Amino acid sequence: MRVPHLKGIVAAVAVVALLTGCAAQSPSPASAKTLTVGLTLEPATLDLTTSDAASIPQLLLYNVYETLLKMDSTGAIRPLLATSYDVSSDGLTYTFHLDPRAKFASGAPVDAAAVVSSINRMRDAASATLQSQMSVVQDVQAQSDHTVQVLLSRPSNFWLYSMTSTPGIIVDPAETDMATAPMGSGPYMYDSWVKGDRITLKKNPAYWGTPGRFDQVVFRYIPDPNSMVSAMLSGDLDIMGEMISPDSLPRFADTSKYTVIKGTTNGEVVLGFNHARPVMQNLLVRQAINYAIDRQALLDTVWAGQGQVIGSMVVPTDPYYQDLSGNYPYDPQKAKQLLAEAGVSNLTLSLRVPITPYAPPAATFIASQLADVGITVTVEELDFSSRWLPEVFLGGDYDMTIVDHVEARDIVNFANPDYYWHYDNPQFQALITQADEASAADFITDMEKAAQMLSQDAAADWLFVFPNLVVARAGISGIGANATSLSFDVTTIAARD
């Protein structure tokens, strides 16, 4: 999904400096090197095939599970388990050439049979999102021990890009419990989970590539912004992986103690509408809501001005980005006029949001602004895993909600009427399909049209692009400025002793 027509851009894997012929000895407690990372949302399960929660690949992608190809912090696709790949002239057949050195942490080889098994596992996943991303795959076969051929039902600009993320993870065929004991080929292995507190990964001593730089990596889950900042200031964290109180940034200004990394993400903070509700099927109502909200003021209030206002489900790092934030400028009088034209009065809407650092304050701001144009909003805050996911995302019990959609190029979700927004626009669906199958030049043009169509139809209210704000203690290096994938990738991170 990152780059259209990625034919032939992946070169052979560079020879690694450190071969894995001898396994490292287990470190003594005194010499053990630990990296502690603070994150916000703890996953309810580690099974990527049953849950769409981004907190799972944030932990496991590239660290424990590897993919055939990897997305780096610049958005470029790089080789990982596959050294290279070929694409047929009709764009239907992809042939991946696997690195013969690759093996799972169990010692089993990452061979063609294992890749076929994993791709089929993703095709058959309970996750509707994975099923959608893999729906274009018609067949997958092992051509030799280290060659896999994937046949698509139609050309797809998006499919190869998606294979750098969750759909492309390669799972050890021996794995039977993805929920609590993930087994992959990465430089780190699952170690332990203290529910409500932390998940620990340990170094894979027999990793086939460049080894991990830490004996263990501890992901601590701290949902409260003040507690996260305190943990970083007190030295309990090496990295604050998510700055969830951006107004606290000045507290980390001492460059002798801290490094602040600022960049961008793929995350669109979206005021999502449930189009299954009759009131949300009314274009005038949706447009009124868009006009009623001052998004720049919301960004300044909720996220200390960090981030960028947008006008559609496209982020600035996408090649088809356009600034559509001006399509619905703040105009409460226009909002009132549209509601009157729609014949809507005394409208009450539910706004059910997950308990995250950005959603409840954004909900309070939005409820106030919608009240100014005559819309009553009832705000309900829900635990993300135990209530928001089953009730809102899966159950569709909401009028509006607010979520940071962190998946890359996820504008395609609006082409899926079964996705939790239930947005069903045949013209938009046809345009997305046309773009997916198009040439490189036409892909960009078609996607620009799709973004404009989505914006004009007020399919949602796109509040802002979530910034990538990371704080690390001095001496930590290798953190990418931009979060271009779902992974909090610790495989590139190092620390001075």
Side-chain angles (χ1 to χ4, degrees):
M1 296 162 90
R2 172 59 55 181
V3 181
H5 286 303
L6 294 164
K7 303 175 184 178
I9 67 167
V10 179
V13 172
V15 178
V16 293
L18 296 175
L19 300 179
T20 58
C22 55
Q25 298 295 315
S26 298
S28 66
S31 64
K33 195 170 185 179
T34 299
L35 179 74
T36 304
V37 181
L39 296 176
T40 306
L41 289 176
E42 179 181 12
T45 175
L46 300 183
D47 190 345
L48 293 147
T49 68
T50 62
S51 173
D52 292 320
S55 54
I56 310 175
Q58 182 184 49
L59 168 76
L60 299 178
L61 182 62
Y62 305 149
N63 300 322
V64 173
Y65 289 126
E66 294 184 306
T67 46
L68 297 175
L69 305 170
K70 178 178 181 177
M71 182 67 58
D72 70 14
S73 64
T74 70
I77 289 182
R78 306 294 184 191
L80 190 50
L81 292 172
T83 60
S84 63
Y85 69 93
D86 306 306
V87 186
S88 62
S89 59
D90 60 6
L92 297 178
T93 303
Y94 285 76
T95 303
F96 295 94
H97 306 283
L98 307 180
D99 193 318
R101 302 170 303 149
K103 60 181 178 180
F104 295 105
S106 67
V110 181
D111 56 16
V115 172
V116 170
S117 172
S118 284
I119 291 178
N120 284 329
R121 188 188 294 233
M122 296 302 113
R123 295 172 69 191
D124 297 333
S127 162
T129 301
L130 282 178
Q131 289 181 19
S132 176
Q133 290 171 320
M134 298 298 281
S135 63
V136 72
V137 176
Q138 182 172 309
D139 189 31
V140 54
Q141 294 185 1
Q143 299 297 301
S144 69
D145 286 348
H146 299 107
T147 306
V148 176
Q149 192 172 86
V150 180
L151 176 65
L152 306 185
S153 59
R154 59 173 177 80
S156 174
N157 282 305
F158 290 115
W159 176 77
L160 186 68
Y161 181 82
S162 71
M163 290 297 286
T164 68
S165 191
T166 305
I169 65 167
I170 305 303
V171 181
D172 191 327
E175 179 168 342
T176 58
D177 185 10
M178 294 182 71
T180 61
M183 295 170 57
S185 59
Y188 294 95
M189 307 163 57
Y190 172 79
D191 184 31
S192 62
W193 188 354
V194 179
K195 295 290 181 71
D197 183 41
R198 67 188 63 200
I199 296 176
T200 301
L201 307 181
K202 61 184 177 181
K203 185 176 183 178
N204 175 3
Y207 182 56
W208 62 275
T210 303
R213 297 171 176 84
F214 303 93
D215 299 308
Q216 62 179 10
V217 180
V218 178
F219 289 89
R220 288 192 55 197
Y221 293 98
I222 308 173
D224 178 69
N226 293 328
S227 298
M228 179 81 84
V229 169
S230 295
M232 189 70 207
L233 290 170
S234 66
D236 291 339
L237 301 176
D238 296 304
I239 300 173
M240 184 160 53
E242 298 167 296
M243 168 54 81
I244 52 179
S245 55
D247 54 349
S248 299
L249 278 173
R251 303 182 70 178
F252 301 99
D254 187 343
T255 57
S256 68
K257 295 181 178 179
Y258 306 105
T259 300
V260 177
I261 296 98
K262 291 186 178 183
T264 189
T265 74
N266 291 314
E268 306 97 344
V269 179
V270 181
L271 176 64
F273 304 147
N274 183 357
H275 291 262
R277 300 288 170 91
V279 68
M280 288 306 183
Q281 294 171 10
N282 189 320
L283 173 61
L284 296 179
V285 171
R286 301 196 305 269
Q287 289 178 325
I289 292 172
N290 272 261
Y291 278 118
I293 298 171
D294 186 340
R295 285 170 287 279
Q296 185 60 54
L298 181 147
L299 178 60
D300 293 341
T301 301
V302 172
W303 221 242
Q306 300 289 335
Q308 182 175 335
V309 174
I310 53 174
S312 192
M313 197 74 173
V314 183
V315 298
T317 51
D318 287 333
Y320 43 84
Y321 173 74
Q322 312 158 84
D323 182 2
L324 301 179
S325 60
N327 282 2
Y328 291 100
Y330 176 54
D331 190 342
Q333 288 305 120
K334 179 71 172 179
K336 292 177 181 178
Q337 174 189 332
L338 289 170
L339 290 172
E341 290 178 18
V344 173
S345 60
N346 301 318
L347 178 60
T348 298
L349 299 173
S350 67
L351 177 52
R352 309 187 77 206
V353 301
I355 300 174
T356 60
Y358 59 88
T364 300
F365 184 96
I366 288 169
S368 175
Q369 293 219 304
L370 292 185
D372 290 342
V373 301
I375 299 176
T376 300
V377 176
T378 59
V379 176
E380 186 177 3
E381 299 178 13
L382 309 173
D383 177 76
F384 185 86
S385 297
S386 66
R387 294 199 61 193
W388 188 88
L389 280 174
E391 295 178 24
V392 174
F393 186 78
L394 296 176
D397 184 11
Y398 76 104
D399 294 324
M400 302 186 296
T401 190
I402 301 172
V403 177
D404 176 18
H405 284 267
V406 299
E407 299 85 356
R409 304 199 176 182
D410 44 11
I411 187 174
V412 298
N413 288 332
F414 279 97
N416 178 9
D418 294 327
Y419 198 66
Y420 82 108
W421 298 311
H422 302 296
Y423 179 70
D424 192 358
N425 183 337
Q427 288 182 298
F428 180 78
Q429 294 160 20
L431 189 52
I432 288 293
T433 299
Q434 177 178 303
D436 195 20
E437 299 178 2
S439 66
D442 290 341
F443 171 77
I444 300 297
T445 301
D446 288 343
M447 290 304 298
E448 289 175 345
K449 292 178 182 177
Q452 186 68 253
M453 180 185 295
L454 203 63
S455 178
Q456 291 172 347
D457 202 29
D461 193 336
W462 294 274
L463 303 177
F464 61 93
V465 174
F466 210 81
N468 190 44
L469 301 174
V470 178
V471 178
R473 66 172 174 81
I476 298 288
S477 61
I479 302 172
N482 298 322
T484 56
S485 76
L486 293 173
S487 170
F488 192 90
D489 187 357
V490 298
T491 68
T492 61
I493 297 175
R496 291 199 307 266
D497 293 329

